[in-house]
Structures are given as structure tokens and as C-alpha cells.
Amino acid sequence: QVQLVESGGGLVQPGGSLRLSCVSSGNAFSSYAVNWFRQAPGKQRELVAGCTSGGITNYADSVKDRFTISRDNTKRMVYLQMNSLKPEDTAVYYCNAGNAYRTYWGQGTQVTVSS
């Protein structure tokens, strides 16, 4: 079974940057797609960015050109580099990994963008 642990959240000013990290346990990390989701108060959880096992990335329109997802299979890590942050980016961010048969979630890390 895979366990995911996020870190790197915090309070930043609008226009600032933050990098989220997620470390995975298990032997099959390189075969999984990895994703970042977020959930703001009173809103549904939404997909922010994803990366397939083959390295194909995709982004929500709201974060395209500002956020970058990356992975390091040797370290079993996934990252989300967030630049030009806006107040509407405030949410709990969750890392996710899985395939067609199973999915795993981290506990979430809070990101607050405020002046």
C-alpha cells in the first residue's frame, strides 16, 4: 500500500511563490500517474495538475502558465511549483497517485494567499 505525505504549504502574499512536495512510499511509484488536487472551503475538490507515468502533464485553466508539476521517480517525490499566486489559489492541496485500479491520497497541506 502507498502512503503519501505533503509538505510546503503556508501563508504567502499575492504574487509570491511556493513549492509543494509529496513523498511516496511503496515500490510502484514510477508506474502511477501523479496529481495535485485542491479544495477551498465550500467548494468541490478540483484537479489542479497531473502527470502520467509517461510524463504527460495537464493543468487546470486557472493555473496554466503559473503552476508546474514535476516528479522524481528515484526519490519517489512529486512537486508542485506555484508562481504568481492569487488569493483564489487559497485551498487545501492534496497529492494523489494511482492507476486504473487503485488510488491513494495524502493528508493535505494548507496554502493561504493573502496580503
Short mmCIF file of all heavy atoms in Angstrom, two decimals, residues 30-102:
data_model
loop_
_atom_site.label_atom_id
_atom_site.label_comp_id
_atom_site.label_asym_id
_atom_site.label_seq_id
_atom_site.Cartn_x
_atom_site.Cartn_y
_atom_site.Cartn_z
N SER A 30 6.76 4.72 -9.90
CA SER A 30 7.02 5.12 -11.27
C SER A 30 5.92 4.69 -12.24
O SER A 30 5.81 5.27 -13.32
CB SER A 30 8.37 4.58 -11.75
OG SER A 30 8.36 3.15 -11.76
N SER A 31 5.12 3.72 -11.87
CA SER A 31 4.04 3.25 -12.73
C SER A 31 2.74 4.01 -12.53
O SER A 31 1.79 3.80 -13.28
CB SER A 31 3.79 1.75 -12.50
OG SER A 31 3.20 1.52 -11.24
N TYR A 32 2.68 4.88 -11.54
CA TYR A 32 1.47 5.62 -11.23
C TYR A 32 1.44 6.98 -11.90
O TYR A 32 2.47 7.64 -12.07
CB TYR A 32 1.34 5.84 -9.73
CG TYR A 32 1.13 4.60 -8.91
CD1 TYR A 32 1.76 4.47 -7.67
CD2 TYR A 32 0.31 3.57 -9.34
CE1 TYR A 32 1.58 3.34 -6.89
CE2 TYR A 32 0.13 2.43 -8.57
CZ TYR A 32 0.77 2.33 -7.35
OH TYR A 32 0.58 1.20 -6.58
N ALA A 33 0.24 7.41 -12.27
CA ALA A 33 0.02 8.83 -12.54
C ALA A 33 0.03 9.57 -11.21
O ALA A 33 -0.37 9.02 -10.18
CB ALA A 33 -1.31 9.04 -13.25
N VAL A 34 0.52 10.80 -11.21
CA VAL A 34 0.51 11.63 -10.01
C VAL A 34 -0.24 12.92 -10.30
O VAL A 34 -0.23 13.42 -11.42
CB VAL A 34 1.94 11.94 -9.50
CG1 VAL A 34 2.62 10.66 -9.05
CG2 VAL A 34 2.77 12.63 -10.59
N ASN A 35 -0.90 13.43 -9.27
CA ASN A 35 -1.77 14.59 -9.44
C ASN A 35 -1.72 15.46 -8.20
O ASN A 35 -1.40 14.99 -7.10
CB ASN A 35 -3.23 14.17 -9.66
CG ASN A 35 -3.39 13.17 -10.78
OD1 ASN A 35 -3.41 13.55 -11.95
ND2 ASN A 35 -3.53 11.90 -10.44
N TRP A 36 -2.07 16.71 -8.40
CA TRP A 36 -2.37 17.62 -7.30
C TRP A 36 -3.82 18.08 -7.42
O TRP A 36 -4.23 18.53 -8.50
CB TRP A 36 -1.45 18.84 -7.29
CG TRP A 36 -0.06 18.53 -6.84
CD1 TRP A 36 1.02 18.28 -7.62
CD2 TRP A 36 0.40 18.47 -5.49
NE1 TRP A 36 2.13 18.06 -6.85
CE2 TRP A 36 1.77 18.18 -5.53
CE3 TRP A 36 -0.21 18.65 -4.24
CZ2 TRP A 36 2.55 18.04 -4.38
CZ3 TRP A 36 0.57 18.51 -3.10
CH2 TRP A 36 1.92 18.21 -3.18
N PHE A 37 -4.56 17.94 -6.35
CA PHE A 37 -5.91 18.45 -6.23
C PHE A 37 -5.93 19.55 -5.18
O PHE A 37 -5.01 19.65 -4.36
CB PHE A 37 -6.90 17.35 -5.81
CG PHE A 37 -7.20 16.33 -6.87
CD1 PHE A 37 -6.30 15.32 -7.16
CD2 PHE A 37 -8.40 16.37 -7.57
CE1 PHE A 37 -6.59 14.36 -8.13
CE2 PHE A 37 -8.70 15.42 -8.53
CZ PHE A 37 -7.79 14.42 -8.81
N ARG A 38 -6.99 20.35 -5.19
CA ARG A 38 -7.18 21.32 -4.13
C ARG A 38 -8.65 21.46 -3.81
O ARG A 38 -9.51 21.19 -4.64
CB ARG A 38 -6.58 22.68 -4.49
CG ARG A 38 -7.31 23.43 -5.60
CD ARG A 38 -6.56 24.70 -5.96
NE ARG A 38 -7.23 25.46 -7.00
CZ ARG A 38 -6.71 26.52 -7.60
NH1 ARG A 38 -5.50 26.96 -7.26
NH2 ARG A 38 -7.40 27.16 -8.55
N GLN A 39 -8.92 21.88 -2.58
CA GLN A 39 -10.29 22.08 -2.15
C GLN A 39 -10.36 23.32 -1.27
O GLN A 39 -9.71 23.39 -0.22
CB GLN A 39 -10.82 20.87 -1.38
CG GLN A 39 -12.30 20.95 -1.06
CD GLN A 39 -12.87 19.62 -0.59
OE1 GLN A 39 -12.14 18.78 -0.07
NE2 GLN A 39 -14.16 19.44 -0.78
N ALA A 40 -11.13 24.30 -1.71
CA ALA A 40 -11.37 25.51 -0.95
C ALA A 40 -12.64 25.33 -0.12
O ALA A 40 -13.51 24.51 -0.46
CB ALA A 40 -11.51 26.71 -1.88
N PRO A 41 -12.79 26.09 0.96
CA PRO A 41 -13.99 25.96 1.80
C PRO A 41 -15.27 26.15 0.99
O PRO A 41 -15.40 27.10 0.22
CB PRO A 41 -13.82 27.08 2.83
CG PRO A 41 -12.35 27.28 2.92
CD PRO A 41 -11.84 27.07 1.52
N GLY A 42 -16.20 25.22 1.16
CA GLY A 42 -17.48 25.31 0.48
C GLY A 42 -17.46 24.95 -0.98
O GLY A 42 -18.49 25.10 -1.66
N LYS A 43 -16.34 24.48 -1.49
CA LYS A 43 -16.23 24.13 -2.90
C LYS A 43 -15.82 22.67 -3.07
O LYS A 43 -15.32 22.04 -2.14
CB LYS A 43 -15.21 25.04 -3.60
CG LYS A 43 -15.53 26.52 -3.51
CD LYS A 43 -14.53 27.36 -4.26
CE LYS A 43 -14.63 27.17 -5.76
NZ LYS A 43 -13.70 28.07 -6.51
N GLN A 44 -16.06 22.15 -4.26
CA GLN A 44 -15.68 20.78 -4.57
C GLN A 44 -14.17 20.67 -4.77
O GLN A 44 -13.51 21.64 -5.15
CB GLN A 44 -16.39 20.30 -5.83
CG GLN A 44 -17.90 20.20 -5.72
CD GLN A 44 -18.50 19.63 -6.97
OE1 GLN A 44 -18.54 18.41 -7.15
NE2 GLN A 44 -18.97 20.50 -7.85
N ARG A 45 -13.66 19.48 -4.52
CA ARG A 45 -12.26 19.22 -4.82
C ARG A 45 -12.05 19.25 -6.33
O ARG A 45 -12.83 18.69 -7.09
CB ARG A 45 -11.86 17.87 -4.24
CG ARG A 45 -10.38 17.56 -4.34
CD ARG A 45 -10.03 16.29 -3.59
NE ARG A 45 -10.27 16.42 -2.16
CZ ARG A 45 -9.96 15.50 -1.26
NH1 ARG A 45 -9.39 14.37 -1.64
NH2 ARG A 45 -10.23 15.71 0.02
N GLU A 46 -11.00 19.93 -6.77
CA GLU A 46 -10.73 20.07 -8.19
C GLU A 46 -9.31 19.64 -8.52
O GLU A 46 -8.39 19.80 -7.72
CB GLU A 46 -10.96 21.51 -8.65
CG GLU A 46 -10.02 22.52 -8.03
CD GLU A 46 -10.17 23.92 -8.60
OE1 GLU A 46 -10.72 24.06 -9.71
OE2 GLU A 46 -9.74 24.89 -7.93
N LEU A 47 -9.15 19.12 -9.72
CA LEU A 47 -7.83 18.75 -10.21
C LEU A 47 -7.07 20.00 -10.62
O LEU A 47 -7.56 20.80 -11.42
CB LEU A 47 -7.96 17.80 -11.39
CG LEU A 47 -6.65 17.38 -12.07
CD1 LEU A 47 -5.79 16.57 -11.12
CD2 LEU A 47 -6.95 16.58 -13.33
N VAL A 48 -5.88 20.17 -10.08
CA VAL A 48 -5.04 21.31 -10.40
C VAL A 48 -4.03 20.97 -11.48
O VAL A 48 -3.85 21.71 -12.44
CB VAL A 48 -4.30 21.81 -9.14
CG1 VAL A 48 -3.36 22.96 -9.47
CG2 VAL A 48 -5.31 22.25 -8.08
N ALA A 49 -3.35 19.85 -11.32
CA ALA A 49 -2.31 19.44 -12.25
C ALA A 49 -2.12 17.94 -12.17
O ALA A 49 -2.34 17.34 -11.12
CB ALA A 49 -0.98 20.15 -11.95
N GLY A 50 -1.73 17.34 -13.27
CA GLY A 50 -1.48 15.92 -13.30
C GLY A 50 -0.31 15.57 -14.19
O GLY A 50 0.05 16.33 -15.10
N CYS A 51 0.29 14.43 -13.92
CA CYS A 51 1.40 13.93 -14.72
C CYS A 51 1.26 12.42 -14.84
O CYS A 51 1.21 11.71 -13.83
CB CYS A 51 2.74 14.30 -14.07
SG CYS A 51 4.19 13.77 -15.01
N THR A 52 1.19 11.91 -16.06
CA THR A 52 1.08 10.47 -16.27
C THR A 52 2.41 9.79 -16.00
O THR A 52 3.45 10.43 -15.86
CB THR A 52 0.63 10.16 -17.70
OG1 THR A 52 1.70 10.46 -18.61
CG2 THR A 52 -0.61 10.95 -18.09
N SER A 53 2.37 8.46 -15.95
CA SER A 53 3.61 7.71 -15.77
C SER A 53 4.57 7.92 -16.93
O SER A 53 5.78 7.74 -16.76
CB SER A 53 3.30 6.22 -15.61
OG SER A 53 2.64 5.70 -16.76
N GLY A 54 4.05 8.32 -18.08
CA GLY A 54 4.88 8.62 -19.23
C GLY A 54 5.35 10.06 -19.32
O GLY A 54 6.03 10.41 -20.29
N GLY A 55 4.98 10.89 -18.34
CA GLY A 55 5.47 12.25 -18.29
C GLY A 55 4.60 13.29 -18.97
O GLY A 55 5.02 14.44 -19.12
N ILE A 56 3.40 12.92 -19.37
CA ILE A 56 2.49 13.88 -19.98
C ILE A 56 1.78 14.66 -18.88
O ILE A 56 1.18 14.06 -17.99
CB ILE A 56 1.46 13.18 -20.89
CG1 ILE A 56 2.18 12.42 -22.01
CG2 ILE A 56 0.48 14.19 -21.47
CD1 ILE A 56 1.26 11.55 -22.84
N THR A 57 1.83 15.98 -18.95
CA THR A 57 1.25 16.83 -17.93
C THR A 57 0.00 17.53 -18.43
O THR A 57 -0.18 17.75 -19.63
CB THR A 57 2.26 17.89 -17.45
OG1 THR A 57 2.65 18.71 -18.55
CG2 THR A 57 3.50 17.23 -16.86
N ASN A 58 -0.86 17.88 -17.48
CA ASN A 58 -2.03 18.67 -17.79
C ASN A 58 -2.34 19.56 -16.60
O ASN A 58 -2.00 19.24 -15.46
CB ASN A 58 -3.23 17.81 -18.16
CG ASN A 58 -3.71 16.95 -17.01
OD1 ASN A 58 -3.10 15.92 -16.68
ND2 ASN A 58 -4.81 17.35 -16.39
N TYR A 59 -3.02 20.70 -16.86
CA TYR A 59 -3.27 21.69 -15.85
C TYR A 59 -4.68 22.24 -15.99
O TYR A 59 -5.22 22.34 -17.09
CB TYR A 59 -2.29 22.86 -15.96
CG TYR A 59 -0.86 22.47 -15.79
CD1 TYR A 59 -0.08 22.11 -16.89
CD2 TYR A 59 -0.27 22.46 -14.53
CE1 TYR A 59 1.25 21.75 -16.73
CE2 TYR A 59 1.05 22.10 -14.37
CZ TYR A 59 1.81 21.74 -15.47
OH TYR A 59 3.12 21.38 -15.30
N ALA A 60 -5.25 22.63 -14.86
CA ALA A 60 -6.48 23.39 -14.90
C ALA A 60 -6.20 24.74 -15.56
O ALA A 60 -5.12 25.31 -15.42
CB ALA A 60 -7.02 23.60 -13.49
N ASP A 61 -7.18 25.24 -16.30
CA ASP A 61 -7.01 26.52 -16.98
C ASP A 61 -6.64 27.64 -16.01
O ASP A 61 -5.89 28.56 -16.36
CB ASP A 61 -8.27 26.90 -17.74
CG ASP A 61 -8.48 26.05 -18.98
OD1 ASP A 61 -7.51 25.42 -19.46
OD2 ASP A 61 -9.63 26.02 -19.49
N SER A 62 -7.15 27.57 -14.80
CA SER A 62 -6.93 28.63 -13.83
C SER A 62 -5.49 28.73 -13.34
O SER A 62 -5.09 29.75 -12.80
CB SER A 62 -7.86 28.45 -12.63
OG SER A 62 -7.64 27.21 -12.00
N VAL A 63 -4.71 27.66 -13.53
CA VAL A 63 -3.32 27.66 -13.04
C VAL A 63 -2.31 27.51 -14.16
O VAL A 63 -1.09 27.59 -13.91
CB VAL A 63 -3.09 26.57 -11.98
CG1 VAL A 63 -4.12 26.67 -10.87
CG2 VAL A 63 -3.10 25.18 -12.61
N LYS A 64 -2.78 27.28 -15.38
CA LYS A 64 -1.87 27.10 -16.51
C LYS A 64 -0.95 28.32 -16.65
O LYS A 64 -1.39 29.46 -16.53
CB LYS A 64 -2.67 26.86 -17.78
CG LYS A 64 -1.87 26.29 -18.94
CD LYS A 64 -2.81 25.78 -20.03
CE LYS A 64 -3.65 24.63 -19.54
NZ LYS A 64 -4.53 24.07 -20.61
N ASP A 65 0.31 28.07 -16.89
CA ASP A 65 1.36 29.08 -17.05
C ASP A 65 1.84 29.66 -15.72
O ASP A 65 2.76 30.48 -15.71
CB ASP A 65 0.95 30.22 -17.98
CG ASP A 65 0.61 29.74 -19.38
OD1 ASP A 65 1.29 28.81 -19.87
OD2 ASP A 65 -0.31 30.31 -19.99
N ARG A 66 1.23 29.24 -14.62
CA ARG A 66 1.68 29.68 -13.30
C ARG A 66 2.21 28.53 -12.45
O ARG A 66 3.14 28.72 -11.67
CB ARG A 66 0.54 30.37 -12.55
CG ARG A 66 0.02 31.62 -13.23
CD ARG A 66 -0.94 32.39 -12.31
NE ARG A 66 -2.13 31.60 -11.99
CZ ARG A 66 -2.49 31.26 -10.76
NH1 ARG A 66 -1.75 31.64 -9.71
NH2 ARG A 66 -3.60 30.56 -10.55
N PHE A 67 1.61 27.34 -12.60
CA PHE A 67 1.98 26.18 -11.81
C PHE A 67 2.71 25.17 -12.69
O PHE A 67 2.42 25.04 -13.88
CB PHE A 67 0.75 25.50 -11.21
CG PHE A 67 0.05 26.26 -10.12
CD1 PHE A 67 0.36 27.59 -9.85
CD2 PHE A 67 -0.95 25.64 -9.38
CE1 PHE A 67 -0.31 28.28 -8.86
CE2 PHE A 67 -1.62 26.33 -8.39
CZ PHE A 67 -1.30 27.65 -8.12
N THR A 68 3.61 24.41 -12.09
CA THR A 68 4.32 23.35 -12.78
C THR A 68 4.39 22.10 -11.91
O THR A 68 4.87 22.17 -10.77
CB THR A 68 5.75 23.77 -13.16
OG1 THR A 68 5.71 24.95 -13.97
CG2 THR A 68 6.45 22.66 -13.94
N ILE A 69 3.91 20.99 -12.44
CA ILE A 69 4.02 19.72 -11.74
C ILE A 69 5.24 18.98 -12.26
O ILE A 69 5.55 19.02 -13.45
CB ILE A 69 2.74 18.86 -11.91
CG1 ILE A 69 2.80 17.61 -11.02
CG2 ILE A 69 2.50 18.50 -13.36
CD1 ILE A 69 1.49 16.82 -10.98
N SER A 70 5.95 18.31 -11.36
CA SER A 70 7.10 17.52 -11.75
C SER A 70 7.21 16.31 -10.83
O SER A 70 6.60 16.28 -9.76
CB SER A 70 8.38 18.35 -11.72
OG SER A 70 8.64 18.85 -10.41
N ARG A 71 7.99 15.33 -11.25
CA ARG A 71 8.16 14.14 -10.44
C ARG A 71 9.60 13.66 -10.52
O ARG A 71 10.30 13.87 -11.51
CB ARG A 71 7.20 13.02 -10.89
CG ARG A 71 7.46 12.49 -12.30
CD ARG A 71 6.32 11.58 -12.77
NE ARG A 71 6.19 10.41 -11.93
CZ ARG A 71 5.14 9.58 -11.95
NH1 ARG A 71 4.13 9.83 -12.78
NH2 ARG A 71 5.10 8.53 -11.15
N ASP A 72 10.02 13.00 -9.46
CA ASP A 72 11.35 12.39 -9.38
C ASP A 72 11.13 10.96 -8.93
O ASP A 72 10.91 10.69 -7.75
CB ASP A 72 12.23 13.15 -8.40
CG ASP A 72 13.66 12.64 -8.36
OD1 ASP A 72 13.88 11.44 -8.63
OD2 ASP A 72 14.57 13.43 -8.06
N ASN A 73 11.16 10.04 -9.88
CA ASN A 73 10.85 8.65 -9.57
C ASN A 73 11.91 8.00 -8.68
O ASN A 73 11.59 7.10 -7.91
CB ASN A 73 10.68 7.86 -10.86
CG ASN A 73 9.41 8.21 -11.60
OD1 ASN A 73 8.45 8.72 -11.01
ND2 ASN A 73 9.40 7.96 -12.90
N THR A 74 13.15 8.43 -8.81
CA THR A 74 14.20 7.88 -7.97
C THR A 74 13.95 8.19 -6.50
O THR A 74 14.14 7.34 -5.63
CB THR A 74 15.57 8.41 -8.40
OG1 THR A 74 15.83 8.04 -9.75
CG2 THR A 74 16.66 7.85 -7.50
N LYS A 75 13.51 9.42 -6.24
CA LYS A 75 13.22 9.84 -4.87
C LYS A 75 11.78 9.57 -4.46
O LYS A 75 11.43 9.81 -3.30
CB LYS A 75 13.52 11.33 -4.71
CG LYS A 75 14.97 11.70 -4.92
CD LYS A 75 15.18 13.20 -4.75
CE LYS A 75 16.64 13.57 -4.93
NZ LYS A 75 16.85 15.03 -4.79
N ARG A 76 10.97 9.10 -5.39
CA ARG A 76 9.54 8.88 -5.15
C ARG A 76 8.89 10.15 -4.63
O ARG A 76 8.18 10.16 -3.62
CB ARG A 76 9.33 7.71 -4.19
CG ARG A 76 9.67 6.37 -4.81
CD ARG A 76 9.39 5.21 -3.86
NE ARG A 76 10.47 5.03 -2.90
CZ ARG A 76 10.40 5.30 -1.61
NH1 ARG A 76 9.26 5.75 -1.09
NH2 ARG A 76 11.45 5.11 -0.83
N MET A 77 9.13 11.24 -5.36
CA MET A 77 8.62 12.55 -4.99
C MET A 77 7.81 13.17 -6.13
O MET A 77 8.10 12.93 -7.30
CB MET A 77 9.75 13.51 -4.63
CG MET A 77 10.57 13.10 -3.42
SD MET A 77 9.73 13.48 -1.87
CE MET A 77 9.82 15.27 -1.88
N VAL A 78 6.83 13.96 -5.77
CA VAL A 78 6.11 14.78 -6.72
C VAL A 78 6.08 16.20 -6.17
O VAL A 78 5.95 16.40 -4.96
CB VAL A 78 4.69 14.23 -7.00
CG1 VAL A 78 3.90 14.08 -5.71
CG2 VAL A 78 3.96 15.11 -7.99
N TYR A 79 6.20 17.18 -7.07
CA TYR A 79 6.28 18.58 -6.67
C TYR A 79 5.23 19.40 -7.41
O TYR A 79 4.81 19.06 -8.51
CB TYR A 79 7.65 19.16 -6.99
CG TYR A 79 8.81 18.37 -6.43
CD1 TYR A 79 9.47 17.43 -7.21
CD2 TYR A 79 9.24 18.58 -5.12
CE1 TYR A 79 10.53 16.71 -6.70
CE2 TYR A 79 10.30 17.86 -4.60
CZ TYR A 79 10.94 16.93 -5.39
OH TYR A 79 12.00 16.21 -4.88
N LEU A 80 4.85 20.50 -6.80
CA LEU A 80 4.03 21.50 -7.47
C LEU A 80 4.66 22.86 -7.21
O LEU A 80 4.60 23.37 -6.08
CB LEU A 80 2.59 21.47 -6.97
CG LEU A 80 1.63 22.41 -7.70
CD1 LEU A 80 1.44 21.97 -9.15
CD2 LEU A 80 0.29 22.49 -6.99
N GLN A 81 5.28 23.43 -8.23
CA GLN A 81 5.82 24.77 -8.15
C GLN A 81 4.71 25.76 -8.49
O GLN A 81 4.15 25.70 -9.58
CB GLN A 81 6.99 24.95 -9.11
CG GLN A 81 7.60 26.34 -9.10
CD GLN A 81 8.25 26.69 -7.79
OE1 GLN A 81 9.00 25.90 -7.23
NE2 GLN A 81 7.96 27.88 -7.28
N MET A 82 4.41 26.66 -7.57
CA MET A 82 3.33 27.61 -7.74
C MET A 82 3.91 29.02 -7.76
O MET A 82 4.51 29.46 -6.77
CB MET A 82 2.30 27.47 -6.62
CG MET A 82 1.74 26.06 -6.46
SD MET A 82 0.42 25.95 -5.22
CE MET A 82 1.36 26.31 -3.74
N ASN A 83 3.73 29.71 -8.86
CA ASN A 83 4.21 31.08 -9.02
C ASN A 83 3.04 32.03 -9.25
O ASN A 83 1.94 31.60 -9.61
CB ASN A 83 5.18 31.18 -10.20
CG ASN A 83 6.42 30.33 -10.02
OD1 ASN A 83 6.93 30.17 -8.91
ND2 ASN A 83 6.93 29.79 -11.12
N SER A 84 3.29 33.31 -9.05
CA SER A 84 2.27 34.34 -9.27
C SER A 84 0.97 33.99 -8.56
O SER A 84 -0.12 34.05 -9.14
CB SER A 84 2.03 34.54 -10.77
OG SER A 84 3.22 34.91 -11.42
N LEU A 85 1.08 33.64 -7.31
CA LEU A 85 -0.08 33.16 -6.56
C LEU A 85 -1.13 34.25 -6.37
O LEU A 85 -0.80 35.43 -6.20
CB LEU A 85 0.36 32.62 -5.20
CG LEU A 85 0.99 31.23 -5.27
CD1 LEU A 85 1.80 30.93 -4.02
CD2 LEU A 85 -0.10 30.17 -5.46
N LYS A 86 -2.38 33.83 -6.40
CA LYS A 86 -3.52 34.71 -6.26
C LYS A 86 -4.34 34.28 -5.04
O LYS A 86 -4.30 33.13 -4.64
CB LYS A 86 -4.41 34.63 -7.51
CG LYS A 86 -3.69 34.94 -8.81
CD LYS A 86 -4.62 34.71 -10.00
CE LYS A 86 -3.92 35.01 -11.30
NZ LYS A 86 -4.82 34.77 -12.47
N PRO A 87 -5.11 35.20 -4.46
CA PRO A 87 -5.96 34.82 -3.33
C PRO A 87 -6.88 33.65 -3.63
O PRO A 87 -7.15 32.84 -2.74
CB PRO A 87 -6.75 36.10 -3.04
CG PRO A 87 -5.85 37.20 -3.47
CD PRO A 87 -5.15 36.66 -4.70
N GLU A 88 -7.35 33.54 -4.86
CA GLU A 88 -8.24 32.44 -5.22
C GLU A 88 -7.54 31.09 -5.28
O GLU A 88 -8.20 30.06 -5.45
CB GLU A 88 -8.95 32.72 -6.56
CG GLU A 88 -8.02 33.15 -7.67
CD GLU A 88 -7.97 34.66 -7.85
OE1 GLU A 88 -7.86 35.36 -6.83
OE2 GLU A 88 -8.04 35.12 -9.00
N ASP A 89 -6.22 31.07 -5.14
CA ASP A 89 -5.49 29.81 -5.03
C ASP A 89 -5.54 29.24 -3.61
O ASP A 89 -5.07 28.12 -3.39
CB ASP A 89 -4.03 29.99 -5.44
CG ASP A 89 -3.87 30.36 -6.90
OD1 ASP A 89 -4.57 29.77 -7.75
OD2 ASP A 89 -3.02 31.23 -7.20
N THR A 90 -6.08 30.00 -2.67
CA THR A 90 -6.17 29.54 -1.29
C THR A 90 -7.02 28.27 -1.21
O THR A 90 -8.16 28.25 -1.66
CB THR A 90 -6.76 30.62 -0.40
OG1 THR A 90 -5.88 31.75 -0.37
CG2 THR A 90 -6.97 30.12 1.02
N ALA A 91 -6.45 27.21 -0.64
CA ALA A 91 -7.14 25.93 -0.54
C ALA A 91 -6.25 24.95 0.21
O ALA A 91 -5.08 25.23 0.48
CB ALA A 91 -7.45 25.38 -1.94
N VAL A 92 -6.82 23.80 0.53
CA VAL A 92 -6.03 22.67 0.97
C VAL A 92 -5.63 21.89 -0.27
O VAL A 92 -6.48 21.53 -1.08
CB VAL A 92 -6.80 21.77 1.95
CG1 VAL A 92 -5.96 20.56 2.34
CG2 VAL A 92 -7.19 22.55 3.20
N TYR A 93 -4.35 21.64 -0.41
CA TYR A 93 -3.82 20.94 -1.57
C TYR A 93 -3.48 19.51 -1.20
O TYR A 93 -2.84 19.25 -0.18
CB TYR A 93 -2.57 21.66 -2.10
CG TYR A 93 -2.89 22.92 -2.86
CD1 TYR A 93 -3.35 24.05 -2.19
CD2 TYR A 93 -2.76 22.98 -4.25
CE1 TYR A 93 -3.67 25.20 -2.88
CE2 TYR A 93 -3.07 24.13 -4.94
CZ TYR A 93 -3.53 25.24 -4.26
OH TYR A 93 -3.84 26.39 -4.95
N TYR A 94 -3.89 18.58 -2.07
CA TYR A 94 -3.71 17.15 -1.83
C TYR A 94 -2.92 16.52 -2.97
O TYR A 94 -3.22 16.77 -4.14
CB TYR A 94 -5.05 16.43 -1.75
CG TYR A 94 -5.96 16.89 -0.65
CD1 TYR A 94 -6.85 17.95 -0.85
CD2 TYR A 94 -5.97 16.26 0.59
CE1 TYR A 94 -7.70 18.37 0.15
CE2 TYR A 94 -6.82 16.68 1.59
CZ TYR A 94 -7.68 17.73 1.36
OH TYR A 94 -8.53 18.14 2.36
N CYS A 95 -1.94 15.70 -2.65
CA CYS A 95 -1.31 14.91 -3.69
C CYS A 95 -2.04 13.59 -3.84
O CYS A 95 -2.68 13.09 -2.91
CB CYS A 95 0.19 14.70 -3.44
SG CYS A 95 0.62 13.77 -1.97
N ASN A 96 -1.95 13.04 -5.02
CA ASN A 96 -2.69 11.85 -5.38
C ASN A 96 -1.83 11.01 -6.33
O ASN A 96 -1.11 11.55 -7.17
CB ASN A 96 -4.01 12.26 -6.06
CG ASN A 96 -4.69 11.13 -6.80
OD1 ASN A 96 -4.37 10.86 -7.96
ND2 ASN A 96 -5.65 10.50 -6.15
N ALA A 97 -1.91 9.71 -6.18
CA ALA A 97 -1.19 8.81 -7.08
C ALA A 97 -2.03 7.57 -7.32
O ALA A 97 -2.73 7.11 -6.42
CB ALA A 97 0.16 8.42 -6.50
N GLY A 98 -1.97 7.04 -8.53
CA GLY A 98 -2.73 5.85 -8.80
C GLY A 98 -2.70 5.42 -10.24
O GLY A 98 -2.00 5.99 -11.08
N ASN A 99 -3.48 4.39 -10.52
CA ASN A 99 -3.65 3.89 -11.87
C ASN A 99 -5.13 3.57 -12.08
O ASN A 99 -5.99 4.06 -11.34
CB ASN A 99 -2.75 2.67 -12.13
CG ASN A 99 -2.97 1.55 -11.11
OD1 ASN A 99 -4.03 1.43 -10.50
ND2 ASN A 99 -1.95 0.72 -10.95
N ALA A 100 -5.45 2.75 -13.06
CA ALA A 100 -6.84 2.44 -13.36
C ALA A 100 -7.50 1.61 -12.27
O ALA A 100 -8.74 1.52 -12.22
CB ALA A 100 -6.94 1.72 -14.70
N TYR A 101 -6.72 1.01 -11.38
CA TYR A 101 -7.25 0.06 -10.41
C TYR A 101 -7.22 0.54 -8.97
O TYR A 101 -7.96 0.02 -8.14
CB TYR A 101 -6.48 -1.25 -10.51
CG TYR A 101 -6.45 -1.81 -11.91
CD1 TYR A 101 -5.32 -1.68 -12.71
CD2 TYR A 101 -7.57 -2.45 -12.44
CE1 TYR A 101 -5.30 -2.18 -14.00
CE2 TYR A 101 -7.55 -2.94 -13.73
CZ TYR A 101 -6.42 -2.81 -14.50
OH TYR A 101 -6.41 -3.30 -15.79
N ARG A 102 -6.40 1.52 -8.66
CA ARG A 102 -6.28 1.98 -7.28
C ARG A 102 -5.84 3.43 -7.26
O ARG A 102 -5.20 3.92 -8.20
CB ARG A 102 -5.32 1.10 -6.50
CG ARG A 102 -3.86 1.22 -6.94
CD ARG A 102 -3.11 -0.07 -6.73
NE ARG A 102 -3.44 -1.03 -7.76
CZ ARG A 102 -3.15 -2.32 -7.71
NH1 ARG A 102 -2.54 -2.83 -6.65
NH2 ARG A 102 -3.47 -3.12 -8.72
#
